[in-house]
Amino acid sequence: MPSPEIRPATEADLTFVTEIYDHAVRHGTATFELIPPDLAEMTRRFKALMDGGFPYFVAEVDGRVIGYAYAGPYRPRPAYRFTVENSVYLQPTLHRRGIGLQLLQRLIAESTRRGYRQMIAVIGDSANAGSIGVHTRCGFQMIGTHPDVGLKFGRWLDTVMMQLALGDGGATVPKI
């Protein structure tokens, strides 16, 4: 497979994004959603991120989106405005080929450029070694595990919390 182009997402990409996320919801434990959102809902979410000034990228090969990554608000309160939470999803047949790593690296660089100071990864399922490994390769530190907080596919799932300082991180106060 040729190397993917990592580029900013557009609304035209959302059909592919919706398909990728649909599979993750129906078959995976990376997300704790139980019912896949439709294209209209994914479009609403995309527009909310774009309106908020958050970065959103897709990986594309031969005109087809094969993965995506975005940063969004970590929490809604204003004190968290310099902290983002990341999400990365790939077509299921393309895991462990470095595409998620490329997407995450681009997302980290752009989030840093936009002035964010911390990136949080909330990884569904502590058995998700691929996601934990990619985040570790990008410099994320393990913060902790919330055991048995999600119930999906008839079993309890953990969430793993990882964190990466961006730019100066907490060493300085951003100019407001």
Side-chain angles (χ1 to χ4, degrees), residues 33-108:
E33 283 202 67
L34 301 176
I35 300 170
D38 63 11
L39 178 59
E41 175 58 18
M42 292 297 282
T43 301
R44 186 198 66 72
R45 293 177 186 185
F46 174 78
K47 286 179 178 179
L49 290 168
M50 294 298 95
D51 290 347
F54 294 101
Y56 201 127
F57 295 101
V58 293
E60 179 182 61
V61 171
D62 297 329
R64 180 162 178 86
V65 172
I66 59 170
Y68 66 97
Y70 63 86
Y74 171 62
R75 296 283 185 264
R77 300 225 162 106
Y80 294 111
R81 69 190 174 280
F82 294 101
T83 301
V84 291
E85 182 178 333
N86 74 306
S87 293
V88 180
Y89 289 93
L90 302 173
Q91 281 186 344
T93 59
L94 299 176
H95 290 202
R96 299 190 187 280
R97 295 187 186 190
I99 300 164
L101 178 65
Q102 291 174 56
L103 280 163
L104 184 54
Q105 288 171 332
R106 179 76 182 269
L107 186 65
I108 291 166

Side-chain angles (χ1 to χ4, degrees), residues 32 123 125-126 144-151 155-161:
F32 285 8
I123 299 169
D125 193 0
S126 59
T145 300
H146 298 284
D148 303 327
V149 294
L151 183 65
R155 64 186 177 103
W156 287 106
L157 299 168
D158 304 335
T159 56
V160 173
M161 304 291 291

Side-chain angles (χ1 to χ4, degrees), residues 74 84-87 104 118-124 131-132 135 140-144 159-164:
Y74 171 62
V84 291
E85 182 178 333
N86 74 306
S87 293
L104 184 54
Q118 301 290 334
M119 184 174 281
I120 306 294
V122 182
I123 299 169
S131 185
I132 293 167
H135 284 86
F140 282 74
Q141 300 296 310
M142 185 70 67
I143 301 304
T159 56
V160 173
M161 304 291 291
M162 298 183 78
Q163 184 170 342
L164 177 69

